[in-house]
Amino acid sequence: MQLTDKQKIQYIRKAVRAEGDAIRERHPILAHKNLMAMIIFIFSVLAVVLTGYAYLQQWIPAYVCIVVVAICTSFLHELEHDLIHWMYFKKSPLIHHFMLLVGWILRPGTINPWVRRNLHFEHHKLSGTPEDIEERGIGNGLKIGPLRLIVMLDTLTGGVIRALVQKVGFEKIESAVLTILAHAPFAVITVVLWYGFLGFHLANIFELGIHWQGSTIEFMHTIEPLIVILIAPFYVRSFCLNLISSNMHYYGNVTSVMRQTQVLNHPILWPLQLFCFNFGATHAIHHFVVAEPFYIRQLTAKKAHKVMKLYGVRFNDFSSMMHGNVYSLSKSEV
C-alpha cells in the first residue's frame, strides 16, 4: 500500500509517543519534566564547576578539563533546546530564564538563547529552505570548502565572514552587524579572547620575534584558566555539534517532515556524538514529536529508529554532505 508522507508522519508520531508513554509508565520519575530538568541542570553545572576547580588545583591536566567540560555542557545545550520549546518551568519564568542564562554563560560562544528561540521556531516551519537561518548559520546547505569549515568551527566569526563574502552592498554590513548583535556580549568577548590567546601562543611557538609587553604576558596568564575551563571546551563541543547538525538536516527538495532530517548513527561518528549528546541519532525524533524532552528521546531511540526506517526516513546518508545537504530524489520520488 502506497502511503502519503502525511500518513507516514502520523504512524511515526504515534509509535514514538506510545514508546515514550510506556517508558514514563515504567519509570514514573521521568514524567516529572521540571524535576528532571533541574536534576540535569544542577548536575551539569556542578560538574563544570568541580572540573574547573580540579584543573585550578592542578589535580587534572588541561586536556581532561576540556573534554569533561565539553561533554557536560552538551547536556546544557540539550536543556537549552528544550527550554526554548518551553518544556520546563513555563509557569516559573524566573527559574526558566535563569537556566537559560547560566547555560549561555557556561557555553560562552553561543548565540543569545532568547534570539535563538525565534530562529528555532522558524527553523521548524522553514527547515530545508534558505529562510532557515538557524541551520544555515551553522553551515547547512553550504558546499564543502573553507567557508563551511570556518562556519562550523566558529559560528560568529564564520557568520561575519560569510556575510562579507556572500552579501552585496549595504547588506554586507547589515548582516555582519546583526550576526554580532545576536551573539553579544558573551560570544564577542569569547572570540576576542580565543583568537588573542591563540595568536599569542602561535607567535611564540613559531618564534616570530615579537617582544611582548609585560602586561600582555600577564594578561595571557590571567585568562588561561578561562580558556581551558570554558572557551576551549565550547569550541570543541560546538564544532562537533555543528558538523553533525548541519549535515543531518537536509537543504533543498524538502517538502515535509519526512525530508527535513536524516538519522546519523554510524559508529564512526561516536567521537563527535560524545560531545553533542548523541544528537545525530536522536534529533530527527524531535522533528516528528517536538514536545518530547531530550532524555526521553535517548530512551525511545531504538524503537523510533525501527519505525522511522520502516517508513522511509534516511539513515547515514553521507552522500548528501558532498552536495550541500540536498535531499536527493530517488526515481520513485522524481
Side-chain angles (χ1 to χ4, degrees):
M1 180 179 176
Q2 188 70 28
L3 299 176
T4 65
D5 276 3
K6 185 177 180 180
Q7 290 172 317
K8 293 176 183 177
I9 292 166
Q10 288 175 341
Y11 288 137
I12 292 171
R13 285 175 174 165
K14 183 177 179 180
V16 170
R17 286 172 179 150
E19 182 68 5
D21 290 341
I23 288 171
R24 278 182 282 262
E25 188 174 341
R26 291 196 299 270
H27 308 284
I29 191 174
L30 297 179
H32 300 279
K33 294 195 296 184
N34 288 349
L35 174 62
M36 289 300 301
M38 187 55 69
I39 290 172
I40 295 167
F41 176 76
I42 292 172
F43 167 80
S44 302
V45 172
L46 282 178
V48 171
V49 171
L50 293 175
T51 303
Y53 181 75
Y55 168 72
L56 293 175
Q57 295 301 314
Q58 299 183 344
W59 297 339
I60 59 173
Y63 71 87
V64 171
C65 180
I66 291 169
V67 168
V68 173
V69 172
I71 293 172
C72 292
T73 49
S74 73
F75 303 166
L76 293 176
H77 171 83
E78 291 294 284
L79 270 181
E80 178 187 276
H81 171 266
D82 288 359
L83 284 163
I84 281 172
H85 280 282
W86 294 100
M87 292 189 202
Y88 317 124
F89 296 103
K90 188 173 183 178
K91 296 181 180 179
S92 303
L94 188 62
I95 298 175
H96 176 94
H97 294 295
F98 174 74
M99 292 175 75
L100 280 176
L101 177 61
V102 172
W104 188 18
I105 292 171
L106 295 183
R107 297 153 42 251
T110 55
I111 189 172
N112 179 320
W114 293 276
V115 172
R116 186 190 170 207
R117 172 172 278 148
N118 294 327
L119 297 179
H120 190 69
F121 289 159
E122 291 300 304
H123 160 64
H124 279 279
K125 296 177 185 176
L126 305 167
S127 187
T129 71
E131 289 74 31
D132 182 3
I133 298 174
E134 183 180 49
E135 279 302 316
R136 297 281 284 150
I138 63 172
N140 181 244
L142 280 176
K143 295 290 180 67
I144 292 177
L147 182 58
R148 177 153 188 164
L149 180 61
I150 293 170
V151 168
M152 291 190 299
L153 282 169
D154 181 350
T155 54
L156 173 52
T157 304
V160 171
I161 293 173
R162 184 176 182 176
L164 297 177
V165 169
Q166 294 187 332
K167 302 291 182 179
V168 295
F170 180 72
E171 287 185 356
K172 287 179 180 287
I173 305 301
E174 181 184 32
S175 182
V177 169
L178 288 175
T179 300
I180 293 170
L181 291 177
H183 287 77
F186 299 128
V188 176
I189 297 170
T190 296
V191 164
V192 172
L193 294 180
W194 177 241
Y195 290 112
F197 186 81
L198 289 181
F200 173 80
H201 285 283
L202 287 173
N204 291 338
I205 290 171
F206 290 104
E207 299 179 348
L208 299 183
I210 300 176
H211 298 288
W212 304 107
Q213 293 184 353
S215 58
T216 301
I217 297 172
E218 184 180 354
F219 179 72
M220 290 301 165
H221 286 309
T222 301
I223 67 170
E224 186 170 329
L226 182 62
I227 297 292
V228 172
I229 296 170
L230 287 184
I231 295 179
F234 160 73
Y235 281 107
V236 170
R237 181 197 60 80
S238 180
F239 173 70
C240 293
L241 174 64
N242 293 341
L243 180 59
I244 292 288
S245 183
S246 66
N247 284 299
M248 66 158 294
H249 288 86
Y250 284 108
Y251 176 77
N253 294 329
V254 174
T255 55
S256 74
V257 174
M258 289 296 298
R259 297 185 182 183
Q260 287 180 357
T261 58
Q262 62 166 306
V263 175
L264 289 177
N265 63 350
H266 194 283
I268 198 174
L269 297 174
W270 265 109
L272 300 174
Q273 305 274 32
L274 178 66
F275 294 108
C276 59
F277 207 77
N278 201 27
F279 189 90
T282 59
H283 184 70
I285 301 170
H286 169 67
H287 275 248
F288 287 93
V289 184
V290 174
E292 202 75 289
F294 77 97
Y295 54 88
I296 296 291
R297 292 198 296 274
Q298 296 292 332
L299 299 175
T300 60
K302 185 176 181 181
K303 176 64 176 291
H305 287 171
K306 288 182 180 179
V307 179
M308 292 162 74
K309 186 173 287 187
L310 175 66
Y311 289 111
V313 175
R314 294 183 180 177
F315 281 65
N316 301 313
D317 177 17
F318 294 113
S319 64
S320 71
M321 300 179 185
M322 306 303 295
H323 306 287
N325 309 118
V326 171
Y327 186 97
S328 57
L329 300 177
S330 63
K331 290 182 179 180
S332 61
E333 293 171 312
V334 175

